[in-house]
Amino acid sequence: MMKFGSKHSGNAPIKCTVRLLDDTQLLDTEFQINEKGSSLINRVCEQLDLIEKDYFGLRYVDSKRQRHWLEPSKSIFKQIRDMEADNILFSFRVKFYPPNPFRLKEDITRYQIYLQLKRDLLHGRLYCNTSEAALLGAYILQAELGDFNPEEHIDNYVNELKILLKQTLQLEEKIMEIHKNDLKGKTAAEVETLFLKKACVLDTYGVDPHAVKDQRGNQLYLGINHTGILTFQGSKKMNHFSWSQVQKINFEGKMFIIHVILNEDQRIKKKQTIGFKCPRGSSCRHVWKCAVEQMLFFTFPSSSDVPNVVSGGGFFSWGTKFKYSGRVEREILEDLTITRESPSVTRVGSLRRKSSSEPVTPSNIVINQVGFNSLPRLLTNTNEEYNSSIDSSTQIDNSSVLETLLEGQEITTPKIEEEVNHEEILNDHLLIDFTTTVTDSSSLIQSVPNQHSGQKHLETMANQNSRSSLTILRQTLLPIVFALFMILMVVIILLESDFDIIATIRKAPEIADFKKNYYEPGKEFLMRRFIRSKTF
């Protein structure tokens, strides 16, 4: 596959594919090398006849399998330059889920929110108990198939349709029961409204789960939406830090850090710093950007008030600077310029059968590549329901649990999917690829004369480990030594030089106290040791 190079012609347009919220719809388009992300986003929204476009964005996966949102204010080419030139895929997705979808001005915008939530339900991000899942599934069925028809809808007509991530027979029977008895006569628009009313009050509404670990090493999911930052462990919501409690968000390496103020009672407020470890530095930076954008979009009164945000810097690094682009939610809701008559919604039946596959797109050509806009499933608690507080009368079956699925990996085998999940969660340098496993007797016989090959392989691995240890030592020890040396030079210049400006600084009580109690005794001690060594 050809990748972008420095010799790429500045006049030649770059072709790309945009997958819409309905997987059956693909948009082939192109962009210029100096074109900004906002131009491509606007073009897609125009194609969909969307005016309230600030809630949406384009997502992509880089060559290192890290997801990103296309930044509107930056060049598209500079953001995706490490991707394969003939394999550029963007996914049109809801970026900011409106707290109340019914405050949107146009039905066509609400329909896109509905498509996104239907997709979230299918891929396991919109977690709910079995009774809620059956109700939401029945709404989708009514919107897609219309009223129950005994001549057309015979036996288990839900069995071949993809509605939920895990569909058991008991859950399908519950869906069909609701569809048959409770939704007769309701139009697609009416059941979509019911679906939105139910979905927007769930804890995981608008949550795109990020796999992290807490300070004890426990596996968690971190969710970020309009309410704040949430943490989930297995089937239990652990914490919810509202945006009013969050004072600062930053990251350092793989650590995502939030600074919150918690109210222990009406009078006492406690400041607390909480850190979560991400699989890689790039994923931590992605989580930080998502959190900052969500916080700015839903809490600031105006985009002109939004400051530039910097985080991730250290003694030897500049850190990551993020500049918010676009309007905030309050500006969108107060926008009075939308005066057109609301366009009609063209609904496309998008329920796929279980035996069918998604259209062939660049994300499915490479089968061992992580999906283009989702995180891997949690490797534990895969058979638990997200909401554990389910009444026994409504609980149907544990196999109907919803879990996060790789959207672009629906057609992969379980073995490949498991390997991808491990690769996402574990650190890259801890993975060892054993691709030369002996699989038949002939290869085993051929390997017998080379008895020393295994020993050589172990020696090679040992040398690699030692080299990596030396590299880590150089990367950590030398900067520390250099930093200490520079600090020592600054102290000596400050306390020994005769410049007037420095002399003024030296008169400060703290500096004078430091010189008297620490610097002078230390200097005397070193001088005595030096003189003694010269005497001997």
Side-chain angles (χ1 to χ4, degrees), residues 88 164 194 291 364 378:
I88 304 174
L164 306 172
L194 294 173
N364 285 336
L378 204 60

Side-chain angles (χ1 to χ4, degrees), residues 385-433:
E385 288 188 330
Y386 194 83
N387 191 340
S388 58
S389 58
I390 305 172
D391 185 71
S392 58
S393 61
T394 60
Q395 187 169 354
I396 298 173
D397 194 294
N398 282 338
S399 60
S400 62
V401 174
L402 304 180
E403 54 179 319
T404 305
L405 175 69
L406 292 171
E407 292 186 21
Q409 292 292 328
E410 292 181 359
I411 61 172
T412 59
T413 62
K415 182 178 180 181
I416 293 176
E417 187 175 333
E418 183 180 356
E419 291 173 356
V420 172
N421 291 337
H422 279 284
E423 191 168 4
E424 277 292 302
I425 293 181
L426 295 177
N427 294 332
D428 291 340
H429 67 276
L430 296 178
L431 296 176
I432 302 174
D433 184 16

Side-chain angles (χ1 to χ4, degrees), residues 436-451:
T436 57
T437 306
V438 178
T439 57
D440 57 6
S441 59
S442 60
S443 59
L444 182 60
I445 294 172
Q446 292 175 2
S447 65
V448 170
N450 300 324
Q451 295 179 354

Side-chain angles (χ1 to χ4, degrees), residues 124-174:
R125 287 187 296 274
L126 188 63
Y127 288 105
C128 52
N129 61 45
T130 49
S131 60
E132 293 168 333
L135 184 60
L136 293 174
Y139 290 152
I140 295 173
L141 206 63
Q142 178 70 17
E144 299 282 344
L145 304 182
D147 289 342
F148 174 80
N149 187 339
E151 296 181 359
E152 296 180 6
H153 307 144
I154 57 176
D155 299 329
N156 187 357
Y157 58 96
V158 183
N159 184 50
E160 293 300 318
L161 301 176
K162 291 183 177 181
I163 300 177
L164 306 172
L165 180 58
K166 284 194 172 182
Q167 292 181 199
T168 61
L169 178 60
Q170 294 87 346
L171 184 56
E172 290 171 348
E173 289 175 350
K174 185 66 175 176

Side-chain angles (χ1 to χ4, degrees), residues 149-215:
N149 187 339
E151 296 181 359
E152 296 180 6
H153 307 144
I154 57 176
D155 299 329
N156 187 357
Y157 58 96
V158 183
N159 184 50
E160 293 300 318
L161 301 176
K162 291 183 177 181
I163 300 177
L164 306 172
L165 180 58
K166 284 194 172 182
Q167 292 181 199
T168 61
L169 178 60
Q170 294 87 346
L171 184 56
E172 290 171 348
E173 289 175 350
K174 185 66 175 176
I175 292 174
M176 290 186 292
E177 180 185 346
I178 299 173
H179 178 223
K180 178 181 178 180
N181 300 325
D182 301 338
L183 302 177
K184 186 176 181 180
K186 293 191 180 296
T187 64
E190 289 174 339
V191 290
E192 286 168 9
T193 299
L194 294 173
F195 184 96
L196 289 174
K197 286 182 178 179
K198 184 65 178 177
C200 70
V201 298
L202 296 175
D203 285 337
T204 51
Y205 170 73
V207 167
D208 189 12
H210 303 273
V212 297
K213 291 184 178 180
D214 63 11
Q215 59 183 0

Side-chain angles (χ1 to χ4, degrees), residues 507-518:
K507 292 178 181 178
E510 295 83 0
I511 303 296
D513 185 64
F514 173 79
K515 182 178 181 181
K516 179 181 178 181
N517 296 328
Y518 299 100

Side-chain angles (χ1 to χ4, degrees), residues 182-424:
D182 301 338
L183 302 177
K184 186 176 181 180
K186 293 191 180 296
T187 64
E190 289 174 339
V191 290
E192 286 168 9
T193 299
L194 294 173
F195 184 96
L196 289 174
K197 286 182 178 179
K198 184 65 178 177
C200 70
V201 298
L202 296 175
D203 285 337
T204 51
Y205 170 73
V207 167
D208 189 12
H210 303 273
V212 297
K213 291 184 178 180
D214 63 11
Q215 59 183 0
R216 298 179 180 177
N218 298 319
Q219 187 72 56
L220 302 175
Y221 267 150
L222 196 68
I224 306 163
N225 63 9
H226 65 278
T227 64
I229 300 175
L230 305 92
T231 60
F232 302 94
Q233 185 176 30
S235 61
K236 185 179 180 181
K237 182 174 78 172
M238 303 297 292
N239 299 103
H240 178 205
F241 306 107
S242 65
W243 290 129
S244 60
Q245 294 176 316
V246 177
Q247 300 298 303
K248 183 181 177 183
I249 306 172
N250 66 311
F251 77 96
E252 296 177 5
K254 298 179 183 179
M255 292 298 297
F256 173 69
I257 304 168
I258 57 176
H259 305 262
V260 297
I261 294 181
L262 303 177
N263 295 327
E264 294 187 347
D265 54 41
Q266 295 181 350
R267 296 182 178 180
I268 301 176
K269 293 184 178 181
K270 181 181 178 182
K271 292 184 178 181
Q272 192 170 353
T273 302
I274 305 168
F276 302 95
K277 187 176 182 181
C278 300
R280 296 182 303 276
S282 58
S283 59
C284 187
R285 185 163 52 251
H286 174 67
V287 173
W288 173 75
K289 280 187 176 182
C290 290
V292 169
E293 281 191 292
Q294 294 284 328
M295 184 177 185
L296 298 178
F297 182 82
F298 288 111
T299 61
F300 270 74
S302 171
S303 56
S304 60
D305 298 328
V306 175
N308 293 337
V309 184
V310 180
S311 182
F315 194 81
F316 297 100
S317 62
W318 292 103
T320 298
K321 183 178 181 180
F322 176 76
K323 183 178 181 180
Y324 182 82
S325 176
R327 298 187 296 176
V328 297
E329 189 201 23
R330 183 176 296 183
E331 291 175 320
I332 302 169
L333 296 176
E334 295 175 354
D335 186 6
L336 301 178
T337 60
I338 301 178
T339 57
R340 70 172 183 176
E341 184 178 351
S342 183
S344 59
V345 178
T346 303
R347 292 176 171 82
V348 180
S350 58
L351 277 180
R352 298 192 304 272
R353 297 188 178 275
K354 292 181 181 178
S355 57
S356 66
S357 61
E358 296 179 0
V360 177
T361 65
S363 67
N364 285 336
I365 292 174
V366 184
I367 199 170
N368 62 348
Q369 183 174 341
V370 172
F372 50 83
N373 69 342
S374 61
L375 283 171
R377 275 178 277 185
L378 204 60
L379 298 182
T380 58
N381 301 321
T382 55
N383 290 323
E384 295 180 355
E385 288 188 330
Y386 194 83
N387 191 340
S388 58
S389 58
I390 305 172
D391 185 71
S392 58
S393 61
T394 60
Q395 187 169 354
I396 298 173
D397 194 294
N398 282 338
S399 60
S400 62
V401 174
L402 304 180
E403 54 179 319
T404 305
L405 175 69
L406 292 171
E407 292 186 21
Q409 292 292 328
E410 292 181 359
I411 61 172
T412 59
T413 62
K415 182 178 180 181
I416 293 176
E417 187 175 333
E418 183 180 356
E419 291 173 356
V420 172
N421 291 337
H422 279 284
E423 191 168 4
E424 277 292 302

